[in-house]
Amino acid sequence: MMTIATKQYEALTDETAIALARSLYPFPEGAELVCREIGDGNLNYVFQIKDPKSGKGLIIKQALPYAKVVGESWPLTLKRAVIEANALQKHGEFAPGLVPVVYATDEELAITLMEDLSHLTIAREGLIQGEAYPKLSEDIGEYLARTLFHTSDFALHPFEKKRLAAEYSNPELCKITEDLIFTDPFFNNDTNDYEPELQSVVEAIWNNAPLKLEAAKLKFSFLTEAEALLHGDLHTGSIFASESETKVIDPEFAFYGPIGFDVGLFLANLMVQSITRQGEERQIVLSHTEKTWDVFSARFTQLWEQEGIEAFKETAGYKEFVLEKIFRDTLGFAGCELIRRTIGLAHVKDLDGIEDAEQRIRLKKQTLQIGEALILKRAELTSIGALTGLLEELQP
């Protein structure tokens, strides 16, 4: 990986992005490069630079010093760019082929040059169009098990683990998560965004003391449990996929947190997709939900037994205790994600893109109901089959 010769920060343009790409990537001599800004997220510019003749290309991602979705009134640290690049490389050590290759970085310019994945589709978009993605759950289960196990105390010397936890301190982006997932949706906050037809359901959430207590416990876990290096924002919009390939992108929210958070966010976004489907199409997504956990838990167990360094790893019941905790946390975090994606600031196209207003409101109410159930019943649902059984029960 190369380091860019640094200059003072400035936002890239199509022209300067092309010049940078040409200087750092082996495009053919005299290639007429084409650049498009393709970022559809809330925080960054994403430039795709391509040589149409040879087909070679790359991506340049640049962090902005503010949230693009809001503007300069919401300033953000540029450090998130180097955190993202480092997380891609660290996760790539343990899950090669499941993240894009990083070619070059620059902390001052907040830039990462990486592999072009334009031959793949954002998984959320494909799923909305009815794609099955047969390898998605297997690949993400592997990615989760390998990245989370290998960056935990179960695999690392305490000194190395604590060094990494300090390196990936990410307070500004963690604060966004703390507010938008764990706090704002449970209170009458100005950042919340929902249709008037949901008002009574939303107020019921705000007034549900047992639910708010459990949400507070989950937030406490997120704030205090530095278990492994998380992706931090693992949803179907952070994954490129095809019939045969899966790549996880955008770990700018990476930090050391509870293992179940990554697992829960991904499963929640699968659940949103299952809510919008019917019959056999819904079963495909529910099967992905089950397989993700099954692959994760099986690979995590294998890594525990073959590569674990924890002194208590052979103690009867300890591995089971750890996996049970991860699963319980997974359900709770998934519930919070379902609620915030429905009534919080950042929604998902799976639901908001439903044109029929009556159907959209009905499915959003269903999403909120499932979210509440996962938070409140996470101690009772002790298997992935129990989870999918609950989903089928609550999805008429």
Side-chain angles (χ1 to χ4, degrees):
M1 186 194 72
M2 300 174 61
T3 301
I4 301 165
T6 302
K7 61 179 181 178
Q8 185 176 2
Y9 179 88
E10 62 180 4
L12 290 175
T13 64
D14 287 1
E15 291 74 21
T16 57
I18 286 175
L20 184 63
R22 198 184 293 279
S23 69
L24 292 167
Y25 188 79
F27 286 109
E29 185 73 25
E32 296 185 8
L33 303 184
V34 176
C35 178
R36 291 192 305 141
E37 204 286 306
I38 58 173
D40 61 355
N42 298 326
L43 305 179
N44 310 288
Y45 284 139
V46 181
F47 297 91
Q48 180 194 53
I49 293 92
K50 208 169 186 72
D51 170 23
K53 190 171 182 180
S54 70
K56 287 189 173 183
L58 57 75
I59 294 295
I60 301 179
K61 183 171 182 179
Q62 182 178 40
L64 294 173
Y66 53 84
K68 188 170 69 172
V69 69
V70 176
E72 295 183 13
S73 62
W74 189 344
L76 286 174
T77 178
L78 293 174
K79 184 187 175 186
R80 69 186 193 274
V82 74
I83 286 178
E84 175 178 6
N86 290 345
L88 283 173
Q89 293 172 85
K90 179 59 66 176
H91 284 167
E93 290 178 25
F94 307 121
L98 294 176
V99 298
V101 176
V102 174
Y103 300 133
T105 65
D106 185 271
E107 184 170 358
E108 294 300 320
L109 294 175
I111 285 172
T112 304
L113 277 73
M114 68 185 85
E115 179 183 3
D116 180 15
L117 301 177
S118 58
H119 62 291
L120 304 175
T121 304
I122 291 290
R124 187 184 305 284
E125 297 294 333
L127 289 168
I128 289 171
Q129 297 302 318
E131 294 289 342
Y133 293 133
K135 288 201 66 183
L136 179 66
S137 47
E138 179 179 354
D139 285 345
I140 297 301
E142 283 281 342
Y143 167 84
L144 288 166
R146 291 180 179 278
T147 59
L148 295 170
F149 177 83
H150 283 295
T151 58
S152 74
D153 285 299
F154 306 124
L156 293 177
H157 187 283
F159 293 176
E160 175 63 8
K161 191 262 188 151
K162 290 175 175 61
R163 184 192 70 77
L164 288 174
E167 177 184 339
Y168 288 95
S169 176
N170 200 356
E172 286 194 64
L173 270 68
C174 284
K175 183 64 165 61
I176 292 174
T177 302
E178 293 155 19
D179 290 343
L180 298 189
I181 295 183
F182 295 108
T183 304
D184 295 353
F186 298 94
F187 295 89
N188 185 5
N189 194 289
D190 289 344
T191 64
N192 292 327
D193 178 23
Y194 53 87
E195 294 91 339
E197 294 90 338
L198 294 174
Q199 186 65 40
S200 62
V201 181
V202 172
E203 289 183 3
I205 289 174
W206 295 342
N207 294 316
N208 188 333
L211 178 68
K212 292 174 76 170
L213 173 60
E214 296 308 314
K217 292 177 184 177
L218 288 160
K219 181 179 179 179
F220 183 71
S221 173
F222 180 85
L223 290 169
T224 61
E225 296 179 359
E227 294 178 346
L229 177 59
L230 307 186
H231 176 284
D233 193 27
L234 187 62
H235 52 77
T236 51
S238 297
I239 299 166
F240 273 104
S242 70
E243 291 284 304
S244 59
E245 193 175 0
T246 311
K247 300 272 190 178
V248 177
I249 63 170
D250 292 350
E252 62 191 322
F253 282 76
F255 82 111
Y256 260 78
I259 289 173
F261 185 74
D262 270 2
V263 187
L265 258 60
F266 177 68
L267 292 189
N269 282 265
L270 285 182
M271 292 178 212
V272 169
Q273 184 56 214
S274 76
I275 289 167
T276 68
R277 295 189 179 198
Q278 296 292 326
E280 185 177 340
E281 292 299 310
R282 176 182 289 169
Q283 290 304 315
I284 290 172
V285 180
L286 290 177
S287 294
H288 272 313
T289 304
E290 290 192 349
K291 190 171 185 180
T292 300
W293 176 260
D294 288 341
V295 171
F296 166 79
S297 58
R299 178 65 69 210
F300 194 93
T301 295
Q302 181 185 54
L303 293 170
W304 176 291
E305 293 171 351
Q306 296 179 357
E307 301 183 35
I309 64 169
E310 165 59 52
F312 287 95
K313 82 169 194 175
E314 302 291 348
T315 301
Y318 184 45
K319 176 186 64 189
E320 290 73 18
F321 163 81
V322 169
L323 284 168
E324 287 166 9
K325 178 192 181 300
I326 294 171
F327 186 69
R328 187 168 60 250
D329 289 349
T330 291
L331 298 182
F333 293 134
C336 291
E337 172 76 351
L338 290 175
I339 290 173
R340 78 96 169 200
R341 289 297 194 180
T342 310
I343 64 174
L345 177 65
H347 290 197
V348 288
K349 187 177 178 181
D350 314 58
L351 292 171
D352 278 11
I354 298 171
E355 294 184 2
D356 183 281
E358 184 176 342
Q359 181 189 21
R360 184 175 67 252
I361 295 301
R362 177 176 60 82
L363 294 181
K364 286 192 172 188
K365 287 180 178 179
Q366 196 176 109
T367 304
L368 293 171
Q369 182 185 17
I370 293 171
E372 291 183 56
L374 294 182
I375 293 171
L376 291 170
K377 297 182 179 182
R378 66 188 189 279
E380 303 169 26
L381 301 169
T382 57
S383 70
I384 192 64
L387 168 61
T388 51
L390 176 71
L391 295 176
E392 292 185 289
E393 177 186 331
L394 297 178
Q395 294 175 221

